[in-house]
């Protein structure tokens, strides 16, 4: 019966109910009363049938929803010949489910992109040549060739002299790791250097990356589905409705009064106003680069009490940047950077790419290097505009030209040195590090002002690096060197303090994002796995969007609750009037329509929410967001 939940069926039911109502009214006006009643009956029947099936499924799951009231009102109206009232209720109900389905249509897609991060095939050495095989064919002991830019398909050991792997998506380490022969290489990491050989030690299904996939799936299954805000009111409202309808019938002996009570009680303010307000909130959040995957995550986001942040790529930028340039031999900083970046154009190493990006940011002209020789993981030698240039690690350059050395213990944690020599003389050093995102401190204070009671850092990086980065930010806790399953455990432990939001960007964050009440992924450059596992994606790659997202979520939920309270209040007044005979079933249905219009208009106020705390720096948010978000309606 899963097809009953499809958007296509819900759209069809709305069209049938609406067309049937209009057609019946035309027949009624034309004097074809019996035909009108038959038309209304036929229009109501499929809506009622689908509703009854959904009620049975909900009861099987142990859930009692307000759909029961709608079913009672339609059934009673048909049983006592009030087919027009039943048709009006059918239109109201099918319209409400359509809007709710529209909101849920923004829910997360399947996680097939997570698996697509790993290649479907691998290159295996066999009989003096290479053969392409599927991952399932890899067995421990196979010798695989990992080309530059390839993702390591299985866990193994390095069978070449050196290998340089970008493990940021797995461990949170922002700088590539240099591995020697015999070192372990994790599946899911990317080859950032020259091609190397890998000896497989595990089957694909037993490797690190496959384990992360399983963690995500298990965490998603363990997270209880978000119940609709409306259903929290269902049991009490259902009891009140049945009591008033029964009393009206009992004391007057007129079943039509009970029908009128049920029709007025049809909880369309709940069925309609809640999804409209939440969908409007989803659309508004999208204007600020915050993609929330459905009404459930938005509602939960409004109640967050604990925030857990990943470090690399989330709290920090995730890309090495120049911190300072130490010049020697009379060369200025721009000259050193220009020569180094020009030569590094020939390398695909992340640090080399960061140098090139820094030079372009300073508008330094970069020519074409010549006679380039790269020693993977150590450095690059070549000629730039007639000069002999060497760029690389401190030892790599010192062994060729000499020069002052620096004690690595004097460096800030997480920093890396890039030495430069020109024409046989030491020219200077570039100190690089992964910097903290701009405005993080202020953002954390604003989030505390919005009701976030606990803010924690959870990272796979070393404790020394994490402490340096978070110094002065006032975190309530710092957890370092965490594996993916340890991050999940941290999220589950923090739930005792209230709903938990987890923010991350790497593959290693995906299980924790799925386990959190609300998972937030840095979607602009984050891993596909984290984007799929998350409930919220920050499309503009700015952590300060968390503030507007939370404020919009809370305002949308508040508007939805206001609509519910006002709508239910008016419905109760109408129920009392119907019980005393002041309203017929048709009049009750029409009055309920007026109530619906009022609460929907109130719910649409969510489209005008503007996060006042961020009115300054975020005034340009809507113009800087991706063009695809303009006018987006989830």
């Amino acid at each position: 019966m899963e097809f009953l939940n499809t958007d296509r069926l819900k759209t069809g039911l709305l069209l049938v109910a609406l067309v049937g109502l209009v057609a019946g009214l035309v027949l009624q006006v034309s004097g074809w009363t019996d035909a009108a009643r038959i038309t209304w009956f036929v229009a109501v029947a499929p809506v009622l049938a689908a509703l009854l099936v959904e009620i049975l499924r909900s009861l099987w799951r142990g859930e009692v929803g307000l759909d029961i009231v709608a079913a009672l009102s339609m059934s009673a109206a048909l049983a006592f010949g009030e087919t027009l009232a039943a048709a009006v209720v059918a239109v109201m109900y099918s319209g409400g489910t359509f809007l709710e389905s529209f909101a849920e249509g923004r829910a997360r897609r399947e996680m097939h992109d997570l698996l697509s991060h790993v290649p479907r095939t691998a290159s295996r050495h066999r009989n003096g040549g290479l053969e392409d095989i599927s991952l399932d064919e890899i067995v421990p002991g196979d010798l695989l060739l990992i080309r530059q830019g390839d993702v390591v398909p299985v866990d193994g050991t390095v069978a070449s002299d050196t290998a340089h792997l970008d493990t940021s998506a797995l461990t949170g380490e922002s700088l590539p790791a240099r591995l020697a022969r015999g070192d372990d290489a994790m599946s899911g990491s990317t080859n950032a250097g020259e091609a190397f050989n890998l000896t497989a030690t595990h089957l694909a299904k037993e490797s690190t990356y496959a384990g992360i996939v399983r963690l995500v799936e298990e965490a998603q299954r363990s997270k209880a589905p978000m119940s609709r805000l409306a259903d929290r009111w269902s049991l009490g409202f259902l009891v009140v409705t049945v009591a008033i309808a029964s009393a009206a019938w009992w004391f007057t002996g007129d079943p039509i009064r009970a029908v009128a009570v049920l029709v007025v009680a049809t909880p369309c303010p709940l069925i309609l106003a809640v999804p409209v307000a939440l969908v409007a909130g989803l659309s508004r959040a999208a204007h600020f680069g915050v993609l929330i995957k459905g009404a459930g995550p938005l509602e939960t986001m409004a109640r967050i009490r604990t925030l857990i942040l990943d470090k690399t790529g989330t709290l920090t930028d995730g890309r090495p940047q120049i911190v300072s340039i130490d010049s020697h031999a009379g060369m200025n900083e721009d000259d050193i950077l220009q020569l180094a970046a020009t030569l590094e154009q020939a390398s695909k190493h992340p640090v080399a790419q960061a140098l090139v990006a820094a030079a372009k940011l300073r508008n330094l002209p970069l020519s074409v290097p010549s006679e380039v020789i790269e020693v993977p993981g150590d450095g690059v030698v070549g000629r730039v505009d007639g000069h002999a240039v060497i760029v690389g690690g401190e030892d790599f350059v010192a062994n060729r030209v000499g020069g002052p050395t620096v004690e690595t213990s004097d460096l800030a944690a997480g920093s890396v040195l890039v030495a430069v020599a020109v024409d046989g003389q030491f020219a200077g050093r570039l100190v690089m590090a992964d910097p903290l995102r701009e405005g993080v401190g202020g953002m954390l204070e604003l989030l505390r002002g919005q009701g976030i009671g606990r803010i924690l850092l959870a990272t796979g990086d070393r404790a020394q690096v994490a402490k340096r980065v978070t110094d002065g930010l006032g975190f309530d806790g710092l957890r370092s060197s965490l594996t993916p399953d340890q991050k999940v455990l941290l999220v589950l432990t923090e739930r005792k303090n209230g709903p938990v939001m987890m923010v991350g960007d790497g593959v290693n964050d995906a299980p924790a994002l799925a386990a959190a009440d609300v998972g937030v992924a840095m979607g602009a450059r984050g891993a596909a796995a984290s984007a799929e596992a998350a409930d919220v994606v920050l499309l503009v790659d700015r952590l300060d969007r968390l503030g507007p997202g939370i404020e919009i979520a809370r305002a949308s939920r508040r508007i939805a609750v206001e609509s519910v309270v006002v709508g239910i209040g008016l419905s109760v007044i109408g129920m009392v009037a119907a019980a005393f005979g002041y309203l017929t079933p048709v009049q009750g249905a029409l009055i309920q329509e007026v109530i619906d219009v009022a609460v929907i208009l109130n719910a649409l106020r969510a489209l005008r929410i503007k996060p006042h705390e961020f009115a300054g720096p975020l005034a340009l948010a809507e113009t800087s967001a991706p063009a695809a978000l303009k006018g987006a309606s989830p």
Side-chain angles (χ1 to χ4, degrees):
M1 293 295 182
E2 190 65 25
F3 66 90
L4 289 177
N5 286 324
T6 63
D7 292 342
R8 182 176 299 179
L9 179 62
K10 291 183 178 181
T11 302
L13 291 175
L14 175 58
L15 291 175
V16 168
L18 189 58
V19 170
L21 175 62
V22 174
L25 290 173
V26 172
L27 291 172
Q28 179 79 4
V29 172
S30 302
W32 298 79
T33 304
D34 291 339
R37 290 179 178 175
I38 293 174
T39 300
W40 288 326
F41 187 95
V42 170
V44 172
V47 177
L48 180 58
L51 175 57
L52 290 175
V53 171
E54 184 60 32
I55 289 174
L56 290 175
R57 295 177 64 200
S58 298
L59 292 175
W60 180 260
R61 296 192 300 265
E63 301 172 0
V64 179
L66 286 165
D67 295 343
I68 294 177
V69 179
L72 285 174
S73 64
M74 280 189 276
S75 301
L78 290 178
F80 293 102
E82 296 290 339
T83 52
L84 175 55
V88 174
V89 173
V91 170
M92 290 190 297
Y93 174 78
S94 57
T97 57
F98 174 80
L99 286 174
E100 185 177 42
S101 176
F102 182 66
E104 292 302 320
R106 301 304 303 181
R108 67 178 61 88
R109 298 184 297 272
E110 295 182 359
M111 291 175 53
H112 61 275
D113 285 344
L114 175 61
L115 295 176
S116 67
H117 180 70
V118 173
R120 300 296 180 185
T121 62
S123 295
R124 179 172 64 185
H125 291 278
R126 180 61 59 88
N127 299 325
L130 292 172
E131 61 177 356
D132 288 335
I133 60 173
S134 67
L135 298 189
D136 293 336
E137 296 180 55
I138 300 175
V139 296
D142 281 347
L143 186 64
L144 308 176
L145 176 66
I146 311 299
R147 299 181 177 89
Q148 187 177 58
D150 283 353
V151 176
V152 178
V154 296
D155 290 346
T157 58
V158 176
S160 299
D161 291 336
T162 58
H164 297 84
L165 296 180
D166 179 2
T167 63
S168 59
L170 292 170
T171 66
E173 291 282 359
S174 58
L175 297 174
R178 179 182 178 180
L179 305 181
R181 184 184 295 271
D183 288 344
D184 293 330
M186 289 187 295
S187 59
S189 53
T190 303
N191 183 8
E194 298 299 322
F196 70 94
N197 291 325
L198 177 83
T199 301
T201 57
H202 293 79
L203 299 174
K205 64 181 180 180
E206 299 173 352
S207 293
T208 301
Y209 198 80
I212 289 177
V213 173
R214 287 192 295 272
L215 281 172
V216 174
E217 293 171 344
E218 291 170 3
Q220 287 184 322
R221 284 195 298 268
S222 67
K223 183 164 64 173
M226 182 68 191
S227 61
R228 293 181 305 177
L229 175 64
D231 286 345
R232 297 176 188 172
W233 303 69
S234 59
L235 189 58
F237 188 77
L238 177 61
V239 171
V240 171
T241 299
V242 173
I244 295 177
S246 300
W249 192 352
W250 176 267
F251 288 108
T252 65
D254 184 6
I256 301 301
R257 291 199 182 186
V259 173
V261 171
L262 291 174
V263 168
V264 175
T266 301
C268 289
L270 294 173
I271 296 174
L272 290 174
V274 172
V276 167
L278 298 184
V279 167
L282 297 176
S283 179
R284 189 58 180 157
H287 281 290
F288 290 92
V290 182
L291 178 60
I292 304 174
K293 299 180 180 179
L298 182 137
E299 183 191 353
T300 308
M301 195 173 178
R303 301 183 291 109
I304 292 300
R305 291 294 177 268
T306 300
L307 173 65
I308 301 176
L309 293 168
D310 174 50
K311 185 184 74 67
T312 303
T314 303
L315 196 64
T316 65
D317 187 63
R319 292 172 292 188
Q321 295 184 17
I322 295 176
V323 175
S324 63
I325 300 177
D326 178 23
S327 61
H328 289 260
M331 299 189 67
N332 61 45
E333 294 184 359
D334 283 352
D335 290 339
I336 294 174
L337 177 58
Q338 180 182 12
L339 291 170
T342 298
L343 183 60
E344 292 282 33
Q345 290 178 107
S347 174
K348 290 187 176 182
H349 194 283
V351 173
Q353 295 174 359
L355 288 176
V356 173
K360 290 181 178 179
L361 187 62
R362 298 192 185 190
N363 296 317
L364 300 178
L366 302 181
S367 57
V368 178
S370 60
E371 302 177 22
V372 178
I373 299 175
E374 181 174 6
V375 180
D378 288 326
V380 183
V381 177
R383 298 193 68 82
V384 176
D385 297 331
H387 297 284
V389 180
I390 304 173
V391 180
E394 186 84 2
D395 292 340
F396 178 77
V397 174
N399 289 337
R400 284 162 173 75
V401 300
T405 59
V406 174
E407 289 293 333
T408 55
S409 59
D410 295 334
L411 293 175
S415 297
V416 62
L417 277 180
V418 178
V420 182
V422 180
D423 294 330
Q425 292 188 348
F426 183 80
R429 302 181 186 85
L430 300 99
V431 181
M432 306 189 71
D434 188 11
L436 196 68
R437 288 182 183 269
E438 184 179 357
V440 167
M443 181 210 68
L444 295 182
E445 289 301 318
L446 289 171
L447 290 176
R448 289 188 186 278
Q450 290 182 351
I452 305 297
R454 285 175 57 80
I455 301 179
L456 309 175
L457 182 73
T459 178
D461 216 338
R462 302 184 305 276
Q464 182 185 17
V465 177
K467 289 178 181 178
R468 179 185 64 82
V469 169
T470 60
D471 185 35
L473 292 180
F475 277 91
D476 296 297
L478 190 155
R479 307 291 186 273
S480 60
S481 302
L482 297 182
T483 60
D485 54 336
Q486 288 173 332
K487 286 188 177 183
V488 171
L489 180 61
L490 175 62
V491 168
L492 297 178
T493 302
E494 286 298 323
R495 275 184 169 172
K496 67 180 185 294
N497 300 312
V500 175
M501 173 184 285
M502 171 72 192
V503 186
D505 79 318
V507 175
N508 63 315
D509 300 319
L513 295 179
D517 295 282
V518 176
V520 182
M522 306 294 291
R525 291 191 295 108
S530 60
E532 287 302 322
D535 303 294
V536 180
V537 178
L538 303 183
L539 294 176
V540 292
D541 198 25
R542 286 183 54 177
L543 190 58
D544 62 4
R545 290 304 193 270
L546 274 181
I550 292 175
E551 186 172 355
I552 290 170
R554 290 183 173 174
S556 299
R557 185 177 185 276
R558 182 178 64 251
I559 290 172
V561 172
E562 290 173 355
S563 299
V564 167
V565 172
V566 173
I568 290 297
L570 293 176
S571 293
V572 171
I573 294 174
M575 289 162 58
V576 174
F580 282 96
Y582 294 110
L583 294 176
T584 66
V586 173
Q587 290 172 337
L590 294 176
I591 287 177
Q592 187 62 58
E593 286 285 11
V594 173
I595 295 174
D596 292 343
V597 171
V599 296
I600 289 174
L601 289 177
N602 182 67
L604 288 174
R605 291 193 298 116
L607 287 172
R608 300 193 300 272
I609 297 171
K610 187 170 184 179
H612 61 277
E613 293 94 340
F614 301 87
L618 288 184
L620 299 178
E622 295 183 61
T623 59
S624 62
L629 294 179
K630 295 301 180 183
S633 181

